[in-house]
Amino acid sequence: MNALSSRRAKRLILTGVAGLTALTLAGCASGSGGGGGDAGGPLVLYTWAASEGDQAQWADFIDGAQAEDPDLDITVEGPSFSDYWTKVKTRLSGSNPPCLLTTQAARAQELGDLLMPLDDLIEKSDFDIENIDASMLSGMTVDGTIRAIPYDAEPIVLFYNIEAFEAAGLELPGTEYTRDQFIADAKALTDGDKKGLALAPGIFIPNAWSLADGVPAVTEDGELDLTNPDFVDQIQSFFDLVSVEQVAKAPEAADGSEVSQQAFTSGEVPMLIEGPWMYGSFADAADFTLGVTIVPSTSGEAAAMTAGSGFGIAANCDRPDEAFAAIESLTSVSVQEKQAEARGIVPARIEALPAWAEGKTEGAAEVVEALLADATPQRTTPTWNQVETLMTQYGVQGYRGELTAEEIMETIQNSVAG
């Protein structure tokens, strides 16, 4: 499971098994009702559907979509999230393949050959594409064509403990935050072994740090670019938060994201970079007031790495018009508002954004809106799992100052390319 998926799994909140009555799990056998199904039969959505949390989420989506279109008939099948990315390829090559698929923007390039270009269907149906977050649409675009319609657009943010900031006499950051000010605040909040920032291993958060300054790890053409000097400098500055600035502890390679999350919610560490989908979980676990600001940038201006998922149509689907009509309902404003309110996802539809603001601290929604105004999707390559694994392994030495970012990025680039 990659960094995003492990984080997202922790914020799925079960809404009760009652909602599951609307969701028919078709099972994983290729003959279980068909992917496209017989004409007039149910459409099959193949997705990550192994856990109760996943099933509850898809039940909510389908319930909401059926409120838009009472005739909509969708069944769901699929493995765990970690197995999905390999099993979807096998499933589509079997008999009676599914019509509807899910993908993350970060993995759209990897699944590009499996996903039908949607541009003609978008034009034919007069779908309001202008109301969808542009960064997510960019992430869902492969070879110049849109392959999925996103349902969420999650700009990575910096969470902070408002009471800790106030006790230290620090100004609360909002839609602007320079790295110089962030480091000064982190030092003011650091006291010996008690550090200002909690860190998790891997490349997900360092990548978000780099993209806050507009420097990607992967080119727009989908090429891994870890040895780009600008990216190396960004990663070195992130390593330096531990080895030079001493405002964070080096994570252990074996740490899961829950280690840094617990350090933050327990009040032990007052700052953490994470996805906004964690807001509800953090608010429930913490006994302090959550602050939300941008991932610090050199200029202090808001710019984000966005992560998110969406619905696409299998390239071999023989019912594309029906499938796209289903996607229209699944990604409608009302469905995304419901998901934002119930599960805390940041909706990809701009009109639905106010729903995410409900129950959040003052200024949180403004931060998310500012970040989405200048956002870049997390782009990955088919070898990204290797990148994540190697960064988890070698990154610890970077934080400790035992290896430079240049040495580590060159090692990972050469290992993956080789």
Side-chain angles (χ1 to χ4, degrees), residues 85 130 135 163 182-183 191 201 251 279 288 290 299-300 316 371 415:
W85 306 100
E130 298 299 323
S135 69
E163 282 81 359
F182 161 72
I183 291 172
D191 184 10
Y279 190 104
F288 55 84
L290 283 180
S299 68
N316 56 356
L371 288 168
S415 297

Side-chain angles (χ1 to χ4, degrees), residues 95-260:
S95 61
N96 228 352
C99 262
L100 295 171
L101 306 175
T102 50
T103 186
Q104 292 184 328
R107 310 292 288 265
Q109 300 291 328
E110 182 179 346
L111 299 188
D113 291 342
L114 306 180
L115 293 165
M116 179 181 295
L118 302 181
D119 300 70
D120 289 344
L121 290 166
I122 290 169
E123 183 176 0
K124 181 179 179 180
S125 65
D126 199 25
F127 182 76
D128 183 14
I129 203 73
E130 298 299 323
N131 190 43
I132 305 293
D133 177 74
S135 69
M136 281 294 93
L137 282 175
S138 174
M140 299 293 190
T141 297
V142 180
D143 295 333
T145 58
I146 297 171
R147 303 302 175 96
I149 302 298
Y151 58 77
D152 66 339
E154 313 275 7
I156 308 307
V157 301
L158 174 68
F159 288 98
Y160 64 94
N161 181 328
I162 287 181
E163 282 81 359
F165 267 67
E166 291 176 338
L170 303 175
E171 182 179 349
L172 301 183
T175 57
E176 297 183 354
Y177 203 23
T178 66
R179 289 190 178 170
D180 286 345
Q181 186 60 55
F182 161 72
I183 291 172
D185 290 345
K187 287 182 175 179
L189 294 164
T190 294
D191 184 10
D193 288 338
K194 184 178 180 179
K195 303 298 184 180
L197 177 71
L199 296 176
I203 200 166
F204 183 72
I205 298 304
N207 196 19
W209 172 271
S210 185
L211 278 171
D213 259 9
V215 182
V218 176
T219 69
E220 291 188 6
D221 295 331
E223 298 296 325
L224 195 63
D225 200 22
L226 301 181
T227 54
N228 174 354
D230 291 336
F231 184 74
V232 169
D233 287 346
Q234 290 288 328
I235 299 302
Q236 187 62 59
S237 70
F238 199 72
F239 286 159
D240 287 349
L241 296 176
V242 175
S243 58
V244 177
E245 308 297 350
Q246 299 183 358
V247 297
K249 292 180 181 178
E252 297 297 331
D255 288 351
S257 57
E258 68 274 5
V259 174
S260 58

Side-chain angles (χ1 to χ4, degrees), residues 31-53:
S32 58
D38 297 330
L43 290 164
V44 174
L45 169 64
Y46 192 81
T47 183
W48 41 91
S51 72
E52 288 184 339

